[in-house]
Amino acid sequence: MRRAVRFAAALAVVLALLALGGAAIVLGEADDSPGLQGIGVLVVIAAAVGALRWRGVD
C-alpha cells in the first residue's frame, strides 16, 4: 500500500511539472519571451529525467 501511495505522489509531481513546463513554453511563445520558453523546456526535461530515473525502490 505504501508503495502505491509513493508511486501516485511521484506521478502527480511529474505530471504537474510537465503541465507547468508546457504552459511556460506556450505562454512564452505568445508573449515572445525566449527566456520563459527556455525555462519551460528545462522544466519538461527535468521532469522527464526525474521520471525515468525514479524506480520506486524502498
Side-chain angles (χ1 to χ4, degrees):
M1 182 70 175
R2 183 181 292 180
R3 188 173 184 168
V5 171
R6 288 181 58 200
F7 175 75
L11 182 63
V13 169
V14 168
L15 290 177
L17 285 175
L18 287 174
L20 181 67
I25 293 169
V26 170
L27 292 175
E29 183 175 342
D31 193 29
D32 197 25
S33 171
L36 184 57
Q37 289 176 342
I39 291 170
V41 168
L42 290 176
V43 169
V44 168
I45 291 171
V49 168
L52 291 173
R53 292 189 60 170
W54 184 75
R55 304 230 191 305
V57 177
D58 289 331

